[in-house]
């Protein structure tokens, strides 16, 4: 770190003893809080974790072509800058297997499969345990979690054969008044019309309409007995120009029925096989009402199912369709300008429903095998939507608010929720589960506001799952893909999108001031892989951002799992090595090393274009030196497993006041081994406990370096990381179980974070 005069060093040491190892900041009046931390002995200080992943592709080409598999830390459908963690190929009989290193704050991975015709599907998988499997194959029937929906009793068209007019029916016509007596039949003959008053409609009386029945006298009795019915034959018509409300009996329409308003209550029922027209409101307001349609119902106003059950095996068109405490079972087609489903409503869809606006406040929607529901806008609030095999719910935009809604794919094949635009509430407002694919162009969804369980998939519209067209699904879903299948071009490039930042202290074996800015270097890694998912070569791109040290600093990366002899060549985009610290041989690795040591730079101050001995890009208000970048390319004598060179296997270290003479002072991250040229005599001296405990840690388990996912901001000179990152202390004292993403929340207090331009 900074070169201090002898008096100041003694002052610090004496102060430390006086306060029982409490290190007080000698530059400020306020005490540093790092000395108050109690850190568990087994805390690794790692911000990363790893898991063994196997991906089984859905191979419809029987192993003839490769599928590209990509592993992301975020959903690449929702976030076009999602961080790539791994990539490779797979096909039938050759699964993709890899050890995935990821930020410990992640709770799930997103796996993208690109098939040989370049169609892409993303499946999420929870991070749980040491190994996980992502299977893109359709689930077996036995694996379906929720089972197949229990189907309601189906009303067959054949149940409603035309009702013949009894021979003993009494003919009526004209405009006079009549009384329908108990258990007698009446008929309006074809070619005749009746528009008079029905003075009574006794139980068991039936009216057969072969001609025209006109209901326009307010005091005329209506159908009101469970044993009575009105049968409109194919040649007949029933017209009500005033509201028609009945509480019992059955209207059977085989011809034409037209109403201004019609209300069904109590035990009233409707069987419609003909054409029915309602100019204003058709209302069902009793649980015992049962309506069945196998013809056509046109409601220009509101179709109100406040209670009761409506079976539709025909065509229903309505301006408004409203349900509350009722059940609608659709076997054919419903079209409405607006559909509103309130609490306790149950919509069972076997075929096709289309609307301009769908509002769901607490209902249950069951979308059966091959069915489809189309809407322009959809609002979900505390509802349940169950998708059976290959069902589709498509909307231009969807909104989820207040109460959690559940969209469940419960079949043995995937269903689609297609919504280019998705708006979530400010809390968890929707849970997606199992065999459902969310098709969207939306980006930036907050993952804290939705939940995924099971085998949920994501895609954009052009890459969504194909569903074949049927009479019920409006053409199915046949978009994207196509073309001639082909393999990816090898070697494939695997640019790991995460940038990783090394923040180092340089006073080892003495403890530093924990501003963690003596060397700040950000790196990224790219592999070139063959068809066996082995790495032929790799690139390490790095950026030197700060040198908050007065010492001369060099840096290198040791590949702990790769012998030096396995590296065939090392080259640099910009050759900044002077040979003053790292002598290299013909292959480019450092000579005299058992493991492959890849030098980055010999002198950080010179490389950053600043004067030696100065603290560069760490002292606020002093000169700023633009970060410098270089790319190191490595080739291997034979391809190696990428698991040997993951970011967690890259042993980054700095050398303090180094030269070509051995041994040298190397500073590594906790738990990493030094190179063959390190001065091991320093282990166990001063604050270091490496001789008795874990390498590069103190007896209190403090360290000299941290690896962070992301190009994070770093503390200003002599500003402890405890203050610069308020959640850091909780992460340490909890052993890494709390404040896992502490590095995403720098202090907003001026002067604590170095303000990089």
């Amino acid at each position: 770190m900074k070169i201090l005069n002898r008096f100041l060093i003694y002052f610090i040491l004496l102060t430390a003893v006086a306060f029982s190892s409490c290190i007080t900041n000698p530059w400020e009046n306020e005490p540093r809080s790092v000395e108050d931390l109690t850190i568990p002995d087994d805390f690794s200080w790692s911000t990363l974790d790893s898991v063994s992943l196997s991906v089984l592709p859905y191979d419809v080409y029987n192993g003839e072509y490769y599928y590209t598999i990509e592993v992301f830390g975020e959903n690449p459908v929702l976030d076009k800058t999602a961080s790539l963690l791994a990539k490779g190929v797979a096909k039938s009989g050759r699964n993709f297997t890899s050890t995935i290193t990821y930020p410990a704050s992640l709770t799930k991975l997103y796996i993208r499969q690109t098939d040989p015709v370049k169609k892409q599907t993303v499946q999420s998988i929870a991070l749980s345990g040491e190994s996980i499997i992502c299977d893109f194959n359709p689930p077996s029937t036995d694996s379906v979690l929720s089972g197949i929906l229990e189907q309601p009793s189906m009303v067959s068209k054949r149940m409603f054969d035309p009702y013949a007019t009894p021979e003993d029916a009494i003919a009526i016509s004209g405009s006079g008044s009549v009384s329908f007596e108990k258990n007698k039949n009446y008929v309006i003959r074809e070619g005749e019309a009746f528009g008079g008053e029905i003075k009574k409609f006794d139980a068991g009386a039936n009216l057969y309409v072969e001609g025209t029945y006109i209901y326009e006298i307010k005091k005329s009795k209506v159908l009101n007995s469970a044993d009575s019915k009105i049968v409109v034959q194919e040649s007949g018509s029933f017209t009500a120009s005033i509201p028609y409300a009945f509480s019992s009996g059955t209207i059977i329409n085989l011809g034409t029925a037209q109403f201004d308003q019609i209300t069904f209550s109590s035990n009233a029922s409707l069987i419609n096989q003909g054409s029915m027209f309602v100019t204003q409101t058709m209302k069902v307001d009793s649980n015992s009402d049962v309506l069945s349609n196998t013809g056509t119902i046109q409601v220009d106003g509101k179709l109100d199912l406040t209670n009761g059950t409506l079976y539709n095996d025909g065509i229903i068109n309505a301006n408004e369709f409203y349900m509350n405490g009722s059940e609608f079972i659709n076997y054919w087609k419903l079209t409405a300008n607006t559909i509103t489903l309130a609490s306790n409503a149950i919509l069972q869809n076997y075929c096709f429903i289309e609307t301009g606006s769908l509002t769901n406040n607490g209902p249950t929607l069951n979308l059966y095998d091959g069915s489809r529901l189309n809407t322009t806008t959809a609002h979900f609030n505390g509802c349940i939507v169950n998708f059976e095999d290959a069902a589709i719910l498509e909307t231009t935009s969807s909104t989820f608010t207040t109460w959690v809604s559940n969209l469940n794919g419960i079949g043995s094949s995937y269903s689609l929720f297609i919504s280019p635009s998705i708006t979530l509430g400010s809390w968890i407002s929707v849970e997606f589960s199992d065999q459902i694919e969310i098709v969207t162009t939306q980006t930036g969804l907050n993952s804290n506001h939705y939940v995924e369980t099971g085998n949920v998939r994501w895609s954009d519209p052009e890459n969504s799952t194909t569903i074949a067209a049927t009479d019920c699904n409006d053409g199915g879903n046949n978009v994207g893909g196509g073309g001639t299948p082909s393999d990816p071009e090898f070697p494939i490039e695997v640019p790991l999108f995460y940038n990783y930042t090394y923040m180092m202290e340089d006073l080892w074996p003495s403890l530093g001031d924990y501003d963690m800015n003596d060397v700040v270097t950000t790196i990224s890694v790219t592999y070139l892989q063959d068809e066996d998912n082995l790495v032929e070569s790799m690139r390490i791109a790095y950026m030197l951002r700060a040198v908050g040290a007065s010492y001369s600093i060099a840096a290198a990366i040791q590949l702990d799992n790769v012998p030096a002899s396995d590296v065939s060549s090392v080259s640099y985009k910009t050759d900044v090595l002077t040979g003053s610290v790292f002598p290299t041989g013909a292959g480019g690795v450092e000579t005299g090393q058992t493991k492959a040591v890849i030098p980055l730079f010999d002198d950080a101050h010179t490389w950053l274009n600043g004067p030696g001995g100065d603290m560069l890009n760490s002292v606020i208000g002093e000169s700023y030196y633009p970060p410098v970048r270089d790319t190191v390319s490595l080739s291997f004598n034979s391809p190696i497993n990428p698991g040997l060179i993951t970011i967690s296997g890259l042993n980054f270290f700095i050398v303090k006041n180094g030269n070509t003479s051995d041994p040298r002072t190397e500073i590594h991250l906790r738990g990493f081994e030094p190179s063959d040229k390190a001065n091991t005599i320093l282990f166990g001296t001063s604050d270091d406990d490496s001789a008795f405990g874990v390498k590069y840690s103190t007896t209190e388990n403090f360290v000299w370096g941290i690896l962070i996912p992301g190009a994070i901001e770093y503390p200003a000179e002599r500003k402890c990381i405890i203050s610069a990152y308020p959640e850091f202390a909780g992460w340490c004292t909890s052993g890494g179980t709390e404040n896992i993403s502490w590095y995403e929340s720098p202090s907003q207090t001026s002067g604590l974070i170095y303000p990089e331009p």
Side-chain angles (χ1 to χ4, degrees), residues 12-22:
I12 295 172
L13 293 176
L14 289 172
T15 305
V17 172
F19 286 89
S20 300
S21 299
C22 173

Side-chain angles (χ1 to χ4, degrees), residues 482-620:
T484 303
S486 63
D487 284 326
E489 184 176 347
F490 295 105
I492 61 172
E493 187 175 55
V494 185
L496 304 186
F497 289 173
Y498 269 111
N499 292 315
Y500 295 89
T501 299
Y502 291 95
M503 302 169 66
M504 307 295 292
E505 289 281 290
D506 70 349
L507 274 184
W508 183 86
S510 298
L511 198 63
D513 60 5
Y514 262 74
D515 56 12
M516 307 306 290
N517 64 18
D518 294 344
V519 175
V520 180
T521 304
T522 297
I523 75 166
S524 62
V525 176
T526 300
Y527 305 136
L528 289 180
Q529 293 178 186
D530 63 17
E531 61 269 26
D532 294 319
N533 296 322
L534 298 179
V535 178
E536 297 178 348
S537 62
M538 68 182 294
R539 295 193 300 270
I540 302 173
Y542 74 87
M543 176 171 62
L544 177 61
R545 299 164 58 193
V547 187
S550 297
Y551 294 119
S552 172
I553 299 292
I557 293 176
Q558 177 171 276
L559 306 183
D560 284 350
N561 301 307
V562 180
S565 58
D566 284 0
V567 178
S568 61
S569 67
V570 179
S571 61
Y572 299 81
K573 184 176 181 180
T574 302
D575 190 358
V576 300
L577 294 176
T578 64
S580 61
V581 177
F582 301 111
T584 58
V589 297
E590 185 180 19
T591 58
Q593 299 279 17
T594 304
K595 300 174 183 177
V597 173
I598 314 301
L600 299 181
F601 48 83
D602 292 304
D603 189 329
H605 289 85
T606 300
W607 181 210
L608 199 56
N609 299 307
D614 281 8
M615 303 170 192
L616 310 180
N617 295 352
S618 64
V619 180
I620 297 175

Side-chain angles (χ1 to χ4, degrees), residues 91 176 257 325 467 493 550 648 744:
K91 60 183 175 180
I467 294 178
E493 187 175 55
S550 297
S648 60
E744 295 178 356

Side-chain angles (χ1 to χ4, degrees), residues 160-164 209 230-237 251-257 271-275 294:
F160 309 130
D161 289 332
Y163 289 79
V209 182
I230 296 176
V231 179
V232 182
Q233 303 289 21
E234 290 185 15
S235 60
S237 66
I251 293 179
I252 301 168
N253 178 44
L254 310 175
T256 302
I271 297 172
N272 180 59
Q273 282 190 268
S275 298
T294 57

Side-chain angles (χ1 to χ4, degrees), residues 63-68 89-91 115-118 484-490 492 531:
E64 186 176 356
Y65 301 99
Y66 284 106
Y67 288 69
T68 300
V89 293
K91 60 183 175 180
D115 68 17
V117 294
K118 307 304 183 284
T484 303
S486 63
D487 284 326
E489 184 176 347
F490 295 105
I492 61 172
E531 61 269 26

Side-chain angles (χ1 to χ4, degrees), residues 206-413:
N206 303 305
L207 173 61
Y208 294 84
V209 182
E210 297 174 346
T212 301
Y213 172 38
I214 302 172
Y215 177 79
E216 59 183 3
I217 301 175
K218 289 184 178 180
K219 61 182 180 179
S220 184
K221 297 292 184 182
V222 298
L223 183 65
N224 60 5
S225 170
D227 298 326
S228 299
K229 58 181 174 288
I230 296 176
V231 179
V232 182
Q233 303 289 21
E234 290 185 15
S235 60
S237 66
F238 178 7
T239 301
S241 58
I242 58 175
Y244 191 89
F246 66 105
S247 59
S248 295
T250 303
I251 293 179
I252 301 168
N253 178 44
L254 310 175
T256 302
Q258 183 167 331
F259 301 90
D260 182 27
Q261 299 179 45
I262 183 169
T263 302
F264 300 85
S265 60
S266 190
N267 293 305
S269 60
L270 168 71
I271 297 172
N272 180 59
Q273 282 190 268
S275 298
M276 182 173 175
F277 302 92
V278 180
T279 58
Q280 294 186 36
T281 303
M282 176 177 174
K283 184 173 183 178
V284 182
D285 63 4
S286 172
N287 283 328
S288 59
D289 294 343
V290 177
L291 287 72
S292 301
N293 174 55
T294 57
T296 300
I297 297 177
Q298 173 71 44
V299 181
D300 294 337
K302 183 177 183 179
L303 175 51
D304 183 345
L305 301 181
T306 299
N307 283 294
T309 302
L310 172 57
Y311 294 86
N312 177 48
D313 202 358
I315 296 175
I316 297 178
N317 299 311
N319 182 38
E320 298 179 59
F321 183 77
Y322 173 81
M323 293 180 62
N324 183 14
S326 55
E327 183 174 15
F328 175 64
I329 303 166
N330 180 55
Y331 295 112
W332 194 231
K333 296 182 179 180
L334 164 69
T335 302
N337 288 332
T338 64
I339 295 178
T340 302
L341 308 178
S343 179
N344 300 319
I346 300 175
L347 187 150
Q348 316 260 28
N349 184 38
Y350 287 86
C351 197
F352 183 68
I353 297 175
E354 185 168 29
T355 182
S357 171
L358 174 66
T359 301
N360 302 284
N361 290 309
T364 296
L365 288 76
N366 293 326
L367 307 180
Y368 289 88
D369 187 0
S371 65
R372 184 169 191 141
L373 194 163
N374 283 353
T375 178
T376 303
T377 62
H379 179 89
F380 299 92
N381 181 27
C383 66
I384 297 172
V385 186
N386 295 314
F387 296 76
E388 211 176 44
D389 295 320
I392 300 173
L393 194 165
E394 180 172 9
T395 178
T396 301
S397 63
S398 59
T399 303
F400 296 87
T401 59
T402 312
W403 301 105
V404 179
S405 294
N406 296 88
L407 275 62
N408 311 311
I410 65 172
S412 58
S413 63

